[in-house]
Amino acid sequence: MSILEAPRVYFKGEVTWDPIVTNNTSSFYNEAAAETVFPAAADKVAAFRREAIDAVVGGGNWNPHGTHRAVFYDTAVCGVDLGRNHEQQDPFLAAAVSFTGMLVDLEPYGSISSQLFFDEMRFGAGGGYLISAPRTSRVTARYINFARNSANKMIAGVASVVWQSSFAKTDGLRIDAFDSPVLAALHGALADDDVLGLTVRFNAYRTIYFDDPTLRNGAPSVKRATQTLQAKLNGGGFQPNPARSLIVGAIGLWRRNEPAHESGERVLIPPASSSLGGSAFGRLNGNTLVLDLANVFPEIDDALTKQNFGTLSVVAVDPATNAETVLATFPYSAYDRAAYEASAGIVTAAVGAAACAAAQGTLELRGGDGSVLLAEKALRAVPDTPNLYLDQGTTANATARVYDRGIPVSKAIPVTLYSMTPGGDKIRAATQLQTDANGVVSFAIAAETGEIQPYVFAADPTDSPPDQGVDTQANTYMNVRILPADAWVGQVAPTWDNVFGNVLANWNAMAPCMDNWLNLADPAQVKAFGASLKAHTDPAKFENYAYMPVTRDMTAGQRALLYAFLDAPPPPAAAAVEFMGAAPEPQRRNYAELSRELRGGAE
Amino acid sequence: MLFFQLGAVSNLGDAQRMLRTAIGVELGTLPPYLYALYSIRPGTNAPAVSRIKSVALQEMIHLCLACNMLNALGADPVLQPQTYPGPLPGDVGPPGGTPLTIRLLPFSVDAMDQAMKIEQPEKPPDFPIRTLAVQAKPQAVTIGQFYAALDELLKSLSPSDWRQSRNQIVGDQFFAGQLFAINGYADAHNAIQQIVSEGEGAKDDPLDFQHEPAHYYRFGEIYHDKVLTKDTNPLGYAWGPQPLGVDWSSVYPAIADPGSHDFSQEPPAAQRAQERCDAAFATLIDELNGAASGRSGALGRAVRAMYDLRTAALHAFTTALAGGTQVAGPAFRYKPPQTGVTP
């Protein structure tokens, strides 16, 4: 199953990231209470905005005027695979890939809960070669690699991330193939009942900030860049400062029982002895071995030269006898920069018949010197809902499916569920669970208090407890954000002072970009835009690109108060307006620490 | 079709003159597109809105690229808004004939027809379903030909004519990948290729360099209410059969050409709405001039002004004129704001 079988389309390009990062620290935002932390001032919004700008120089706030938008640009189809390896002949080649999403971290302080809210991903143009993919579920980030690009040590520039979403054919997925063989093949494959739709997976890497790829944490040039931004912000107007990454990706088949948001394939993770920080995904299609190495090999310089580990070998180790069988080898030219960008880090090799049988063993990726770079983690429990929002006082049932070497388990097996502290850095509790006969484990989540609650799954008895924090390669995990009920807020009188002070001021302060569309401090405008505000804050539209607040942190009490205000008769004077990263570490570090390290502190 | 009267050009001064004309034309196309765009009732006509908006954004980028080219040649761009109705800047129009008069029209077939005429390529295709008029043997030049001539002239300039990093507007905050510095002929050539490709498409191909329909064809899709679709006919494309989904009725009941309307007899609310639009537009122009002069942060202030203009326009489009049945959108008049008027 998966995008690691043909047909498959490759794309590459760039993406901008424009999040507001003011809420990344507790001095500006209380993520448990879902509240902006205001300074003591008569005009708390103005004072907050001033402090957010002050924090640009020396405080790590690199984008107080962010919009949260993430937009692909210069991104196009660059190759196809119809089972005959990488091809450059299809008329779908060079088709533009269009995507605009909203980048939101479920846990604002950390970096392991990123997601993209969006409405549609599009390959090609309407009327021509086209894959139009309306959203089925969010694009989710997993497997953040904290050791990807040691030459780009600037904020999170050292890291790379695997992003994935899947698109159900029952949700309006459309393919206009015309004379494109690969599109025809994808369209034809959708007729198979076992194919649920299409999966898009892409790797984002080489992230740069302040539009300057030469910046490095601590360098004097960073201070100059922050001072320039601060001056712009103080000069007025709308001054976003987006970061940008390179991306390579693939779109292929989404099979039944396959996770929508992350790999359900065989997963090879870096062992403690490896210098690598990212995992690979693999699949054996008949006698063809396909490996997704998009998140694995570091770039060692600004020219994006891939680190050379010599000729790689994929070895299957028999767990019972430790007998080794070499399945395939890949020379450096198969994973160097050119190859990486041509086929999104996906490599393919034929495997002999005898070796195919041995492939049921534990896979290892070895470097030219024989060292084990990656080793397979056989049992993995993948949550069906990677990022979940709940309101305090509600309960939800969560599920995860266990995979054994990329195949859904079809028997009952034990799974350990670790509930973690909000930052994912410590274990709060461990619970022993059991899957059903289909390998699905279920558990109830009672949203008792406002907080961030990560869960880590361990399906393999040999798994180490995540007592060093969530290991983004070894652990599968889900994040739960419980929004406080704020019942008292919903019960106060729906006066403007109450609505602004308890509801709108939070985003009026945190999101100056909102001034472009609506002045949240202006009761007449808020009232005039009442219908639009209600439409955009409707919980039923939570998944939409245009949902407000973008940060998905409006509590039920706040919504109740806002709606009570909006539903009240307009005051007589109201306008009748209709619309109105790091070098290789000598020792592995706590993942929570690594995550936090990517937040600010560039100077 | 727009035709530039193109005389003999041979030197740096000619290139600067042509670029000033280009800046005027790029700026001049924005108001008619924005007037049509803002007149569409919010939440409706999504395909048309996305197409007009995408064209308007690219015209803004073209404007900035033209400013970058002029700056790179050592001259200072000055944005001078025109009045509507009126001709676009420069010697625009068929030789001996009446220049194309650009009007501010609410979203309508006429507005899209005008937009197609503005963006029409040298040889408009005769796609099935509807035949487009072809100008016989034009003696003047199209925008594409104008830029081709400019490209040739720029190519002939000495490397010493180009200034490095002079007041360049780049895409670090907005328009990533599309807005870049001009530091020499190679950059200018890329900019011209982008401008022409996005406006008219590639030769014999309605798609631009990013494989999206060029401006002329985006407006054509709206005009015909059909998606431009690959087809087996010799031209390779046809209008439809899939409809685009245009609702011509979902538009504010706006007058055309508010710049020539006498607002002195209109209700105070309508007058104030116009003043807000004028103020926001003036700020936008001032800040764009600042950006083209290398003033730090000016582009961000221009973008904020652009949003302010949109808000003011929406307000104007929903403020009744006397009689209560019509409204007026922004006139795009350059009138610096008066004291007490907040855009």
Side-chain angles (χ1 to χ4, degrees):
Chain A
M1 60 182 146
S2 85
I3 65 167
L4 297 189
E5 63 180 318
R8 181 169 59 245
V9 172
Y10 302 115
F11 61 94
K12 67 174 181 178
E14 300 194 53
V15 60
T16 60
W17 309 112
D18 190 30
I20 301 166
V21 294
T22 310
N23 67 353
N24 286 177
T25 59
S26 58
S27 55
F28 286 100
Y29 184 68
N30 182 333
E31 65 177 16
E35 286 178 347
T36 300
V37 177
F38 288 102
D43 186 342
K44 64 181 186 178
V45 169
F48 181 93
R49 288 188 176 195
R50 164 60 47 206
E51 290 192 359
I53 293 174
D54 289 346
V56 168
V57 178
N61 189 346
W62 56 268
N63 200 16
H65 278 195
T67 60
H68 289 278
R69 282 187 186 146
V71 183
F72 285 6
Y73 68 98
D74 289 349
T75 302
V77 171
C78 61
V80 303
D81 193 330
L82 284 159
R84 300 185 294 268
N85 218 331
H86 186 253
E87 297 182 37
Q88 287 284 346
Q89 297 298 320
D90 198 281
F92 193 43
L93 288 168
V97 182
S98 306
F99 175 82
T100 300
M102 289 291 191
L103 172 64
V104 181
D105 289 345
L106 177 141
E107 196 233 345
Y109 299 170
S111 63
I112 65 167
S113 63
S114 297
Q115 55 200 331
L116 294 165
F117 291 88
F118 71 107
D119 294 334
E120 182 192 23
M121 188 176 281
R122 179 176 282 240
F123 296 70
Y129 305 106
L130 176 69
I131 300 174
S132 169
R135 178 198 65 246
T136 293
S137 58
R138 301 165 212 161
V139 185
T140 301
R142 284 294 184 270
Y143 297 96
I144 183 168
N145 176 351
F146 295 102
R148 172 61 178 270
N149 191 345
S150 58
N152 190 32
K153 192 175 181 181
M154 175 66 189
I155 308 180
V158 71
S160 62
V161 178
V162 180
W163 293 90
Q164 182 171 312
S165 187
S166 298
F167 303 86
K169 59 187 179 185
T170 54
D171 285 340
L173 180 64
R174 171 178 175 161
I175 298 176
D176 292 339
F178 297 99
D179 57 345
S180 163
V182 74
L183 290 179
L186 284 169
H187 187 269
L190 291 179
D192 185 339
D193 284 344
D194 192 55
V195 175
L196 298 179
L198 298 178
T199 289
V200 172
R201 182 186 298 162
F202 62 94
N203 192 262
Y205 63 107
R206 206 288 332 245
T207 303
I208 62 173
Y209 298 82
F210 296 91
D211 198 39
D212 186 348
T214 69
L215 296 181
R216 298 293 181 267
N217 292 336
S221 54
V222 173
K223 186 161 190 177
R224 288 195 294 273
T226 57
Q227 288 171 332
T228 299
L229 174 62
Q230 191 177 64
K232 280 185 180 179
L233 291 160
N234 283 328
F238 174 46
Q239 309 290 357
N241 181 40
R244 59 195 66 188
S245 302
L246 298 173
I247 55 172
V248 295
I251 180 167
L253 302 182
W254 179 29
R255 293 280 189 181
R256 192 176 301 280
N257 291 330
E258 191 172 24
H261 66 280
E262 70 174 272
S263 170
E265 301 129 348
R266 302 178 76 162
V267 177
L268 285 70
I269 68 171
S273 59
S274 174
S275 65
L276 295 175
S279 301
F281 313 114
R283 172 183 167 85
L284 193 66
N285 302 314
N287 66 344
T288 302
L289 177 68
V290 184
L291 284 181
D292 179 354
L293 301 173
N295 199 42
V296 177
F297 295 115
E299 287 79 15
I300 58 172
D301 54 27
D302 290 342
L304 302 176
T305 305
K306 283 285 189 181
Q307 188 169 350
N308 188 343
F309 288 87
T311 295
L312 307 174
S313 57
V314 180
V315 178
V317 181
D318 187 317
T321 66
N322 285 332
E324 298 182 356
T325 304
V326 176
L327 303 183
T329 59
F330 299 97
Y332 178 61
S333 61
Y335 64 95
D336 66 8
R337 179 184 175 183
Y340 181 79
E341 293 179 354
S343 58
I346 295 176
V347 299
T348 302
V351 179
C356 280
Q360 299 310 311
T362 301
L363 301 182
E364 291 182 355
L365 182 71
R366 297 183 182 177
D369 62 357
S371 62
V372 178
L373 301 173
L374 302 173
E376 184 168 18
K377 181 173 169 56
L379 285 167
R380 301 165 61 245
V382 179
D384 291 317
T385 309
N387 294 322
L388 177 65
Y389 289 82
L390 295 174
D391 287 320
Q392 183 183 9
T394 64
T395 59
N397 193 60
T399 57
R401 180 180 292 276
V402 180
Y403 296 82
D404 184 358
R405 293 181 170 83
I407 298 173
V409 165
S410 57
K411 63 180 181 182
I413 68 166
V415 172
T416 304
L417 177 70
Y418 296 97
S419 64
M420 310 291 290
T421 52
D425 53 347
K426 291 188 176 66
I427 299 171
R428 265 184 177 166
T431 307
Q432 295 300 318
L433 303 171
Q434 187 87 0
T435 73
D436 63 15
N438 296 313
V440 175
V441 63
S442 302
F443 62 103
I445 301 173
E448 295 174 347
T449 188
E451 64 175 351
I452 311 291
Q453 173 64 77
Y455 291 96
V456 170
F457 302 86
D460 191 321
T462 66
D463 283 343
S464 300
D467 47 15
Q468 294 299 306
V470 177
D471 181 328
T472 57
Q473 308 304 309
N475 296 142
T476 50
Y477 60 95
M478 71 180 288
N479 300 296
V480 179
R481 180 164 195 183
I482 301 170
L483 295 171
D486 279 351
W488 70 270
V489 176
Q491 293 167 357
V492 302
T495 63
W496 171 249
D497 284 349
N498 282 335
V499 168
F500 185 72
N502 295 301
V503 185
L504 298 177
N506 285 287
W507 299 287
N508 189 223
M510 187 66 73
C513 64
M514 273 299 298
D515 294 356
N516 290 337
W517 294 277
L518 176 65
N519 182 357
L520 292 174
D522 181 343
Q525 274 201 39
V526 169
K527 197 78 175 176
F529 278 88
S532 180
L533 267 177
K534 290 183 74 172
H536 284 91
T537 57
D538 182 348
K541 296 181 178 174
F542 189 83
E543 298 297 324
N544 289 13
Y545 168 79
Y547 178 82
M548 292 169 55
V550 173
T551 40
R552 270 80 179 166
D553 55 354
M554 179 181 281
T555 67
Q558 289 174 319
R559 182 179 289 105
L561 176 57
L562 175 63
Y563 286 12
F565 173 78
L566 296 175
D567 290 341
V577 182
E578 181 185 336
F579 60 85
M580 296 240 62
E585 298 291 342
Q587 202 166 8
R588 287 194 178 275
R589 303 180 52 196
N590 181 317
Y591 279 84
E593 292 171 359
L594 287 166
S595 172
R596 292 294 190 274
E597 189 175 270
L598 302 187
R599 298 303 200 196
E603 292 174 63
Chain B
M1 183 185 295
L2 296 178
F3 295 114
F4 293 82
Q5 300 285 353
L6 186 61
V9 290
S10 61
N11 57 33
L12 178 63
D14 291 332
Q16 292 171 341
R17 177 176 55 79
M18 291 178 73
L19 281 164
R20 289 192 178 96
T21 298
I23 290 167
V25 171
E26 301 293 354
L27 176 63
T29 60
L30 279 168
Y33 298 165
L34 293 177
Y35 197 85
L37 175 66
Y38 294 156
S39 71
I40 297 173
R41 290 182 184 273
T44 70
N45 272 310
V49 166
S50 69
R51 281 160 176 77
I52 300 173
K53 188 184 292 183
S54 67
V55 172
L57 284 174
Q58 289 184 336
E59 295 294 0
M60 293 177 199
I61 294 165
H62 298 173
L63 172 65
C64 292
L65 287 173
C67 289
N68 282 353
M69 284 190 271
L70 185 56
N71 264 313
L73 291 178
D76 298 326
V78 178
L79 276 59
Q80 295 175 316
Q82 64 173 94
T83 57
Y84 302 92
L88 286 170
D91 298 325
V92 177
T98 304
L100 182 62
T101 298
I102 305 300
R103 303 184 62 198
L104 299 183
L105 303 170
F107 181 64
S108 59
V109 171
D110 287 345
M112 295 301 99
D113 182 52
Q114 173 178 269
M116 290 178 73
K117 284 175 176 159
I118 292 172
E119 302 285 353
Q120 188 169 308
E122 182 185 359
K123 295 180 179 178
D126 187 13
F127 294 145
I129 305 297
R130 181 174 178 85
T131 302
L132 298 172
V134 180
Q135 191 84 17
K137 292 185 178 177
Q139 296 174 27
V141 295
T142 67
I143 289 179
Q145 289 173 324
F146 171 84
Y147 274 111
L150 174 62
D151 192 33
E152 282 299 312
L153 176 55
L154 296 180
K155 188 178 181 180
S156 71
L157 297 179
S158 164
S160 63
D161 288 331
W162 299 90
R163 309 287 193 277
Q164 300 294 306
S165 304
R166 185 178 190 272
N167 299 340
Q168 297 295 297
I169 309 171
V170 296
D172 58 337
Q173 291 183 287
F174 312 98
F175 313 127
Q178 301 175 78
L179 183 53
F180 49 87
I182 308 293
N183 290 307
Y185 170 68
D187 297 329
H189 176 71
N190 287 338
I192 290 171
Q193 294 287 101
Q194 179 175 324
I195 291 168
V196 175
S197 172
E198 289 177 343
E200 299 185 356
K203 184 175 174 58
D204 300 325
D205 189 340
L207 304 186
D208 65 18
F209 73 107
Q210 292 182 313
H211 294 255
E212 297 277 2
H215 295 180
Y216 173 80
Y217 304 94
R218 294 183 213 185
F219 287 128
E221 288 182 308
I222 303 170
Y223 178 89
H224 296 296
D225 190 13
K226 291 185 184 300
V227 176
L228 181 68
T229 305
K230 277 185 67 66
D231 194 82
T232 54
N233 71 62
L235 294 172
Y237 285 86
W239 299 112
Q242 182 188 343
L244 185 66
V246 177
D247 179 0
W248 296 112
S249 69
S250 191
V251 58
Y252 292 117
I255 63 171
D257 302 322
S260 56
H261 184 79
D262 178 9
F263 280 91
S264 66
Q265 305 303 311
E266 299 294 354
Q271 295 181 26
R272 284 196 300 272
Q274 285 298 308
E275 289 169 1
R276 288 182 61 191
C277 290
D278 291 346
F281 184 62
T283 303
L284 171 63
I285 295 300
D286 289 347
E287 294 296 350
L288 282 174
N289 273 319
S293 304
R295 218 177 295 155
S296 179
L299 187 61
R301 292 190 291 275
V303 171
R304 172 58 54 81
M306 186 76 208
Y307 283 109
D308 289 342
L309 175 59
R310 173 183 170 275
T311 301
L314 288 174
H315 182 75
F317 274 121
T318 53
T319 302
L321 301 177
T325 60
Q326 286 192 299
V327 297
F332 294 95
R333 286 174 298 221
Y334 181 75
K335 293 171 68 176
Q338 299 170 358
T339 303
V341 176
T342 304

